[in-house]
PDB file of all heavy atoms in Angstrom:
ATOM      1  N   THR A   1     228.494 -44.268  24.243  1.00 91.00           N
ATOM      2  CA  THR A   1     228.608 -42.819  24.086  1.00 91.00           C
ATOM      3  C   THR A   1     228.655 -42.176  25.452  1.00 91.00           C
ATOM      4  O   THR A   1     228.238 -42.827  26.453  1.00 91.00           O
ATOM      5  CB  THR A   1     227.437 -42.237  23.255  1.00 91.00           C
ATOM      6  OG1 THR A   1     227.711 -40.876  22.918  1.00 91.00           O
ATOM      7  CG2 THR A   1     226.115 -42.252  24.066  1.00 91.00           C
ATOM      8  N   PHE A   2     229.180 -41.007  25.507  1.00 91.00           N
ATOM      9  CA  PHE A   2     229.314 -40.242  26.763  1.00 91.00           C
ATOM     10  C   PHE A   2     228.470 -39.004  26.726  1.00 91.00           C
ATOM     11  O   PHE A   2     228.294 -38.385  25.671  1.00 91.00           O
ATOM     12  CB  PHE A   2     230.794 -39.864  27.031  1.00 91.00           C
ATOM     13  CG  PHE A   2     231.690 -41.054  27.248  1.00 91.00           C
ATOM     14  CD1 PHE A   2     232.410 -41.612  26.196  1.00 91.00           C
ATOM     15  CD2 PHE A   2     231.774 -41.638  28.520  1.00 91.00           C
ATOM     16  CE1 PHE A   2     233.259 -42.651  26.392  1.00 91.00           C
ATOM     17  CE2 PHE A   2     232.624 -42.733  28.682  1.00 91.00           C
ATOM     18  CZ  PHE A   2     233.357 -43.230  27.628  1.00 91.00           C
ATOM     19  N   VAL A   3     227.962 -38.609  27.869  1.00 86.00           N
ATOM     20  CA  VAL A   3     227.129 -37.390  27.968  1.00 86.00           C
ATOM     21  C   VAL A   3     227.780 -36.488  29.011  1.00 86.00           C
ATOM     22  O   VAL A   3     227.984 -36.889  30.166  1.00 86.00           O
ATOM     23  CB  VAL A   3     225.699 -37.719  28.374  1.00 86.00           C
ATOM     24  CG1 VAL A   3     224.888 -36.417  28.460  1.00 86.00           C
ATOM     25  CG2 VAL A   3     225.065 -38.663  27.413  1.00 86.00           C
ATOM     26  N   ASP A   4     228.209 -35.330  28.584  1.00 85.00           N
ATOM     27  CA  ASP A   4     228.890 -34.376  29.488  1.00 85.00           C
ATOM     28  C   ASP A   4     227.896 -33.721  30.401  1.00 85.00           C
ATOM     29  O   ASP A   4     226.763 -33.417  30.040  1.00 85.00           O
ATOM     30  CB  ASP A   4     229.612 -33.332  28.641  1.00 85.00           C
ATOM     31  CG  ASP A   4     230.412 -32.369  29.461  1.00 85.00           C
ATOM     32  OD1 ASP A   4     231.416 -32.812  30.079  1.00 85.00           O
ATOM     33  OD2 ASP A   4     230.040 -31.192  29.557  1.00 85.00           O
ATOM     34  N   HIS A   5     228.333 -33.483  31.657  1.00 76.00           N
ATOM     35  CA  HIS A   5     227.452 -32.887  32.660  1.00 76.00           C
ATOM     36  C   HIS A   5     226.920 -31.520  32.241  1.00 76.00           C
ATOM     37  O   HIS A   5     225.792 -31.133  32.544  1.00 76.00           O
ATOM     38  CB  HIS A   5     228.107 -32.831  34.020  1.00 76.00           C
ATOM     39  CG  HIS A   5     229.280 -31.865  34.035  1.00 76.00           C
ATOM     40  ND1 HIS A   5     229.162 -30.527  34.342  1.00 76.00           N
ATOM     41  CD2 HIS A   5     230.601 -32.061  33.782  1.00 76.00           C
ATOM     42  CE1 HIS A   5     230.320 -29.941  34.286  1.00 76.00           C
ATOM     43  NE2 HIS A   5     231.213 -30.843  33.938  1.00 76.00           N
ATOM     44  N   SER A   6     227.761 -30.770  31.520  1.00 73.00           N
ATOM     45  CA  SER A   6     227.300 -29.417  31.088  1.00 73.00           C
ATOM     46  C   SER A   6     226.197 -29.522  30.054  1.00 73.00           C
ATOM     47  O   SER A   6     225.319 -28.671  29.968  1.00 73.00           O
ATOM     48  CB  SER A   6     228.477 -28.639  30.557  1.00 73.00           C
ATOM     49  OG  SER A   6     229.051 -29.289  29.443  1.00 73.00           O
ATOM     50  N   ALA A   7     226.261 -30.578  29.244  1.00 69.00           N
ATOM     51  CA  ALA A   7     225.220 -30.771  28.207  1.00 69.00           C
ATOM     52  C   ALA A   7     223.859 -31.107  28.873  1.00 69.00           C
ATOM     53  O   ALA A   7     222.768 -30.734  28.318  1.00 69.00           O
ATOM     54  CB  ALA A   7     225.583 -31.889  27.228  1.00 69.00           C
ATOM     55  N   LEU A   8     223.891 -31.699  30.059  1.00 65.00           N
ATOM     56  CA  LEU A   8     222.650 -31.983  30.749  1.00 65.00           C
ATOM     57  C   LEU A   8     221.883 -30.731  31.140  1.00 65.00           C
ATOM     58  O   LEU A   8     220.655 -30.737  31.289  1.00 65.00           O
ATOM     59  CB  LEU A   8     222.897 -32.871  31.965  1.00 65.00           C
ATOM     60  CG  LEU A   8     223.473 -34.280  31.681  1.00 65.00           C
ATOM     61  CD1 LEU A   8     223.820 -34.942  32.991  1.00 65.00           C
ATOM     62  CD2 LEU A   8     222.480 -35.081  30.890  1.00 65.00           C
ATOM     63  N   LYS A   9     222.605 -29.650  31.365  1.00 69.00           N
ATOM     64  CA  LYS A   9     221.959 -28.431  31.715  1.00 69.00           C
ATOM     65  C   LYS A   9     221.072 -27.907  30.581  1.00 69.00           C
ATOM     66  O   LYS A   9     220.131 -27.159  30.794  1.00 69.00           O
ATOM     67  CB  LYS A   9     222.972 -27.329  32.082  1.00 69.00           C
ATOM     68  CG  LYS A   9     223.685 -27.625  33.412  1.00 69.00           C
ATOM     69  CD  LYS A   9     224.579 -26.483  33.839  1.00 69.00           C
ATOM     70  CE  LYS A   9     225.216 -26.726  35.206  1.00 69.00           C
ATOM     71  NZ  LYS A   9     224.238 -26.763  36.269  1.00 69.00           N
ATOM     72  N   LEU A  10     221.392 -28.362  29.342  1.00 69.00           N
ATOM     73  CA  LEU A  10     220.518 -27.970  28.237  1.00 69.00           C
ATOM     74  C   LEU A  10     219.112 -28.561  28.367  1.00 69.00           C
ATOM     75  O   LEU A  10     218.213 -28.089  27.749  1.00 69.00           O
ATOM     76  CB  LEU A  10     221.145 -28.398  26.916  1.00 69.00           C
ATOM     77  CG  LEU A  10     222.493 -27.733  26.586  1.00 69.00           C
ATOM     78  CD1 LEU A  10     223.051 -28.337  25.282  1.00 69.00           C
ATOM     79  CD2 LEU A  10     222.388 -26.249  26.489  1.00 69.00           C
ATOM     80  N   GLY A  11     219.024 -29.620  29.201  1.00 69.00           N
ATOM     81  CA  GLY A  11     217.687 -30.195  29.425  1.00 69.00           C
ATOM     82  C   GLY A  11     216.735 -29.218  30.078  1.00 69.00           C
ATOM     83  O   GLY A  11     215.518 -29.375  29.962  1.00 69.00           O
ATOM     84  N   LYS A  12     217.263 -28.210  30.730  1.00 73.00           N
ATOM     85  CA  LYS A  12     216.417 -27.193  31.343  1.00 73.00           C
ATOM     86  C   LYS A  12     215.627 -26.461  30.280  1.00 73.00           C
ATOM     87  O   LYS A  12     214.459 -26.058  30.547  1.00 73.00           O
ATOM     88  CB  LYS A  12     217.258 -26.210  32.152  1.00 73.00           C
ATOM     89  CG  LYS A  12     216.431 -25.182  32.905  1.00 73.00           C
ATOM     90  CD  LYS A  12     217.291 -24.224  33.678  1.00 73.00           C
ATOM     91  CE  LYS A  12     216.439 -23.178  34.383  1.00 73.00           C
ATOM     92  NZ  LYS A  12     217.264 -22.193  35.146  1.00 73.00           N
ATOM     93  N   ILE A  13     216.192 -26.335  29.097  1.00 76.00           N
ATOM     94  CA  ILE A  13     215.448 -25.636  27.989  1.00 76.00           C
ATOM     95  C   ILE A  13     214.208 -26.448  27.664  1.00 76.00           C
ATOM     96  O   ILE A  13     213.099 -25.901  27.471  1.00 76.00           O
ATOM     97  CB  ILE A  13     216.340 -25.481  26.776  1.00 76.00           C
ATOM     98  CG1 ILE A  13     217.573 -24.608  27.125  1.00 76.00           C
ATOM     99  CG2 ILE A  13     215.598 -24.902  25.589  1.00 76.00           C
ATOM    100  CD1 ILE A  13     218.565 -24.505  26.029  1.00 76.00           C
ATOM    101  N   ALA A  14     214.353 -27.784  27.565  1.00 76.00           N
ATOM    102  CA  ALA A  14     213.194 -28.657  27.262  1.00 76.00           C
ATOM    103  C   ALA A  14     212.172 -28.598  28.384  1.00 76.00           C
ATOM    104  O   ALA A  14     210.962 -28.593  28.112  1.00 76.00           O
ATOM    105  CB  ALA A  14     213.675 -30.045  27.001  1.00 76.00           C
ATOM    106  N   ILE A  15     212.637 -28.525  29.643  1.00 77.00           N
ATOM    107  CA  ILE A  15     211.707 -28.481  30.765  1.00 77.00           C
ATOM    108  C   ILE A  15     210.951 -27.176  30.733  1.00 77.00           C
ATOM    109  O   ILE A  15     209.685 -27.157  30.912  1.00 77.00           O
ATOM    110  CB  ILE A  15     212.508 -28.598  32.086  1.00 77.00           C
ATOM    111  CG1 ILE A  15     213.073 -30.039  32.172  1.00 77.00           C
ATOM    112  CG2 ILE A  15     211.627 -28.303  33.288  1.00 77.00           C
ATOM    113  CD1 ILE A  15     213.996 -30.211  33.372  1.00 77.00           C
ATOM    114  N   GLU A  16     211.621 -26.054  30.475  1.00 80.00           N
ATOM    115  CA  GLU A  16     210.948 -24.778  30.441  1.00 80.00           C
ATOM    116  C   GLU A  16     209.910 -24.754  29.294  1.00 80.00           C
ATOM    117  O   GLU A  16     208.835 -24.146  29.433  1.00 80.00           O
ATOM    118  CB  GLU A  16     211.963 -23.670  30.257  1.00 80.00           C
ATOM    119  CG  GLU A  16     212.814 -23.467  31.535  1.00 80.00           C
ATOM    120  CD  GLU A  16     213.931 -22.481  31.277  1.00 80.00           C
ATOM    121  OE1 GLU A  16     214.257 -22.203  30.102  1.00 80.00           O
ATOM    122  OE2 GLU A  16     214.518 -21.932  32.278  1.00 80.00           O
ATOM    123  N   ALA A  17     210.244 -25.374  28.157  1.00 82.00           N
ATOM    124  CA  ALA A  17     209.297 -25.462  27.057  1.00 82.00           C
ATOM    125  C   ALA A  17     208.063 -26.269  27.433  1.00 82.00           C
ATOM    126  O   ALA A  17     206.909 -25.912  27.107  1.00 82.00           O
ATOM    127  CB  ALA A  17     209.972 -26.063  25.825  1.00 82.00           C
ATOM    128  N   SER A  18     208.258 -27.353  28.201  1.00 81.00           N
ATOM    129  CA  SER A  18     207.134 -28.162  28.644  1.00 81.00           C
ATOM    130  C   SER A  18     206.259 -27.367  29.628  1.00 81.00           C
ATOM    131  O   SER A  18     205.045 -27.498  29.608  1.00 81.00           O
ATOM    132  CB  SER A  18     207.667 -29.440  29.321  1.00 81.00           C
ATOM    133  OG  SER A  18     208.389 -30.224  28.391  1.00 81.00           O
ATOM    134  N   ILE A  19     206.882 -26.608  30.503  1.00 82.00           N
ATOM    135  CA  ILE A  19     206.115 -25.759  31.457  1.00 82.00           C
ATOM    136  C   ILE A  19     205.243 -24.769  30.689  1.00 82.00           C
ATOM    137  O   ILE A  19     204.051 -24.607  30.973  1.00 82.00           O
ATOM    138  CB  ILE A  19     207.065 -25.039  32.396  1.00 82.00           C
ATOM    139  CG1 ILE A  19     207.757 -26.064  33.311  1.00 82.00           C
ATOM    140  CG2 ILE A  19     206.319 -24.008  33.236  1.00 82.00           C
ATOM    141  CD1 ILE A  19     208.830 -25.450  34.206  1.00 82.00           C
ATOM    142  N   LYS A  20     205.808 -24.099  29.664  1.00 84.00           N
ATOM    143  CA  LYS A  20     205.049 -23.130  28.909  1.00 84.00           C
ATOM    144  C   LYS A  20     203.893 -23.780  28.190  1.00 84.00           C
ATOM    145  O   LYS A  20     202.803 -23.247  28.090  1.00 84.00           O
ATOM    146  CB  LYS A  20     205.954 -22.388  27.923  1.00 84.00           C
ATOM    147  CG  LYS A  20     206.947 -21.472  28.617  1.00 84.00           C
ATOM    148  CD  LYS A  20     207.828 -20.764  27.583  1.00 84.00           C
ATOM    149  CE  LYS A  20     208.811 -19.814  28.290  1.00 84.00           C
ATOM    150  NZ  LYS A  20     209.733 -19.162  27.306  1.00 84.00           N
ATOM    151  N   ALA A  21     204.158 -24.948  27.621  1.00 83.00           N
ATOM    152  CA  ALA A  21     203.121 -25.680  26.892  1.00 83.00           C
ATOM    153  C   ALA A  21     201.970 -26.075  27.823  1.00 83.00           C
ATOM    154  O   ALA A  21     200.795 -26.004  27.468  1.00 83.00           O
ATOM    155  CB  ALA A  21     203.692 -26.909  26.196  1.00 83.00           C
ATOM    156  N   GLU A  22     202.306 -26.492  29.014  1.00 80.00           N
ATOM    157  CA  GLU A  22     201.317 -26.900  29.980  1.00 80.00           C
ATOM    158  C   GLU A  22     200.520 -25.696  30.475  1.00 80.00           C
ATOM    159  O   GLU A  22     199.307 -25.766  30.664  1.00 80.00           O
ATOM    160  CB  GLU A  22     201.946 -27.606  31.154  1.00 80.00           C
ATOM    161  CG  GLU A  22     201.014 -28.398  32.059  1.00 80.00           C
ATOM    162  CD  GLU A  22     200.339 -29.548  31.344  1.00 80.00           C
ATOM    163  OE1 GLU A  22     201.038 -30.167  30.521  1.00 80.00           O
ATOM    164  OE2 GLU A  22     199.181 -29.804  31.666  1.00 80.00           O
ATOM    165  N   GLU A  23     201.202 -24.567  30.656  1.00 81.00           N
ATOM    166  CA  GLU A  23     200.518 -23.327  31.135  1.00 81.00           C
ATOM    167  C   GLU A  23     199.524 -22.787  30.124  1.00 81.00           C
ATOM    168  O   GLU A  23     198.566 -22.105  30.478  1.00 81.00           O
ATOM    169  CB  GLU A  23     201.537 -22.289  31.518  1.00 81.00           C
ATOM    170  CG  GLU A  23     202.308 -22.609  32.803  1.00 81.00           C
ATOM    171  CD  GLU A  23     203.402 -21.585  33.082  1.00 81.00           C
ATOM    172  OE1 GLU A  23     203.810 -20.868  32.152  1.00 81.00           O
ATOM    173  OE2 GLU A  23     203.811 -21.495  34.270  1.00 81.00           O
ATOM    174  N   LYS A  24     199.770 -23.080  28.855  1.00 81.00           N
ATOM    175  CA  LYS A  24     198.855 -22.580  27.822  1.00 81.00           C
ATOM    176  C   LYS A  24     197.541 -23.354  27.729  1.00 81.00           C
ATOM    177  O   LYS A  24     196.605 -22.881  27.095  1.00 81.00           O
ATOM    178  CB  LYS A  24     199.567 -22.610  26.452  1.00 81.00           C
ATOM    179  CG  LYS A  24     200.657 -21.596  26.298  1.00 81.00           C
ATOM    180  CD  LYS A  24     201.327 -21.715  24.920  1.00 81.00           C
ATOM    181  CE  LYS A  24     202.430 -20.682  24.750  1.00 81.00           C
ATOM    182  NZ  LYS A  24     203.103 -20.804  23.417  1.00 81.00           N
ATOM    183  N   LYS A  25     197.504 -24.507  28.395  1.00 83.00           N
ATOM    184  CA  LYS A  25     196.284 -25.316  28.333  1.00 83.00           C
ATOM    185  C   LYS A  25     195.182 -24.610  29.125  1.00 83.00           C
ATOM    186  O   LYS A  25     195.430 -23.888  30.097  1.00 83.00           O
ATOM    187  CB  LYS A  25     196.565 -26.701  28.871  1.00 83.00           C
ATOM    188  CG  LYS A  25     197.513 -27.489  27.969  1.00 83.00           C
ATOM    189  CD  LYS A  25     197.737 -28.895  28.590  1.00 83.00           C
ATOM    190  CE  LYS A  25     198.679 -29.694  27.695  1.00 83.00           C
ATOM    191  NZ  LYS A  25     198.951 -31.056  28.252  1.00 83.00           N
ATOM    192  N   LYS A  26     193.966 -24.878  28.775  1.00 78.00           N
ATOM    193  CA  LYS A  26     192.760 -24.249  29.381  1.00 78.00           C
ATOM    194  C   LYS A  26     192.130 -25.186  30.406  1.00 78.00           C
ATOM    195  O   LYS A  26     192.082 -26.369  30.213  1.00 78.00           O
ATOM    196  CB  LYS A  26     191.740 -23.884  28.292  1.00 78.00           C
ATOM    197  CG  LYS A  26     192.278 -23.013  27.179  1.00 78.00           C
ATOM    198  CD  LYS A  26     192.507 -21.595  27.626  1.00 78.00           C
ATOM    199  CE  LYS A  26     192.904 -20.709  26.456  1.00 78.00           C
ATOM    200  NZ  LYS A  26     193.155 -19.346  26.875  1.00 78.00           N
TER     201      LYS A  26
END
């Protein structure tokens, strides 16, 4: 299978979600 370089930018959404989840921790 092939992965387009523009699709990789969508990984930023997952990264931002991980940052928010980590920031919510006490």
Side-chain angles (χ1 to χ4, degrees):
T1 190
F2 295 96
V3 181
D4 184 68
H5 65 91
S6 59
L8 295 175
K9 290 187 177 294
L10 297 177
K12 184 180 177 182
I13 299 175
I15 292 174
E16 290 172 343
S18 298
I19 293 173
K20 290 180 180 179
E22 194 66 35
E23 288 177 339
K24 289 180 180 179
K25 294 180 180 179
K26 305 288 186 180

